[in-house]
Amino acid sequence: MTRPGVQADRFRDLMAAVCAPVTVVTTTTPEGPHGATVSSFASLSLDPPLVSVAFDNNSSMLARILSSNRFGVNLLSNGQQDIATTFASRSEDRFAGVRWHFEHGLPRLDGAAGWVECDLDRAVEAGDHTLLFGLVVATSRIETAPLIYVHRTFGTHSRFNERPRALIVDQIAACAS
C-alpha cells in the first residue's frame, strides 16, 4: 500500500529553506536564443562529467532543449538577481537589456560566475517535471561570489569574501617555479 504524499504547500515551504545555486539555462533554436532561471542545477557524475537540471513538463524551455539537444548553464554571480528575475518572468525577450554572447552556439551571459556547456545525455520524466542529464563538454569560471537562493531571497555565501586567498604575488611566484 502506497502512502499519500505530503501536501504541495508543505513540501514547497520545506524546499524554500534549501540553499540553491541560481542559474540561467540557455539554448538556441532556429527561432533564436532562449533562457530560463533554474535552481535545480546539480553535479551528478565525474566519469563521465554529468550535471542535471529539471523543468516543468509544460515548460517551453524543456521542449526547446529536447529539440536542440544542447544547453548551457550560467551560474549567476552575486548582484545578478535582476537577471534571475528577468529570466524567471514570462517576458517575450528575456535577453533584452542583458549583456550576453554566443559561445559555441549557446547563449552565455556576461559576468556569470560559471559556465557549463552540455550536450543532452538523456531526459527522465518524474512527476510533473523532467530531469535532464547534460554531458559537460566545456566549463569556465571567474573568481566571484555566486548568487544563491534560500528562504525566497537572493544572496550569496556569507563567508565567501572572508575566504583566505593567496596574494597575487604568491600566485605568480608559484607559477614561475
Side-chain angles (χ1 to χ4, degrees):
M1 180 173 165
T2 305
R3 295 175 51 194
V6 69
Q7 292 178 333
D9 288 348
R10 290 186 66 140
F11 183 56
R12 188 177 303 115
D13 287 345
L14 172 73
M15 293 309 294
V18 176
C19 185
V22 181
T23 68
V24 171
V25 175
T26 59
T27 194
T28 304
T29 66
E31 292 77 38
H34 308 280
T37 300
V38 172
S39 61
S40 62
F41 172 74
S43 171
L44 182 65
S45 167
L46 290 177
D47 186 22
L50 296 170
V51 295
S52 67
V53 293
F55 286 92
D56 183 292
N57 291 335
N58 297 318
S59 164
S60 59
M61 192 64 189
L62 173 63
R64 291 170 174 145
I65 291 173
L66 293 175
S67 170
S68 70
N69 287 314
R70 300 181 67 219
F71 62 93
V73 181
N74 296 272
L75 291 91
L76 297 186
S77 300
N78 188 35
Q80 291 188 310
Q81 45 268 45
D82 290 345
I83 292 174
T85 302
T86 296
F87 280 87
S89 73
R90 298 195 182 278
S91 169
E92 287 294 317
D93 187 5
R94 297 174 182 172
F95 288 89
V98 175
R99 292 181 25 210
W100 66 279
H101 62 279
F102 279 112
E103 184 149 325
H104 302 118
L106 291 170
R108 179 175 176 179
L109 305 180
D110 294 351
W115 167 249
V116 183
E117 184 180 323
C118 299
D119 291 338
L120 182 60
D121 183 72
R122 71 189 79 171
V124 177
E125 195 172 315
D128 60 3
H129 278 62
T130 296
L131 189 60
L132 302 178
F133 300 116
L135 175 65
V136 177
V137 296
T139 64
S140 64
R141 60 182 283 275
I142 59 174
E143 188 71 24
T144 188
L147 184 64
I148 59 173
Y149 190 73
V150 65
H151 293 295
R152 298 180 176 98
T153 304
F154 292 111
T156 193
H157 188 281
S158 61
R159 304 289 305 267
F160 178 83
N161 289 331
E162 300 171 19
R163 189 180 68 168
R165 295 183 176 89
L167 296 174
I168 189 71
V169 174
D170 295 340
Q171 294 176 13
I172 292 170
C175 291
S177 59

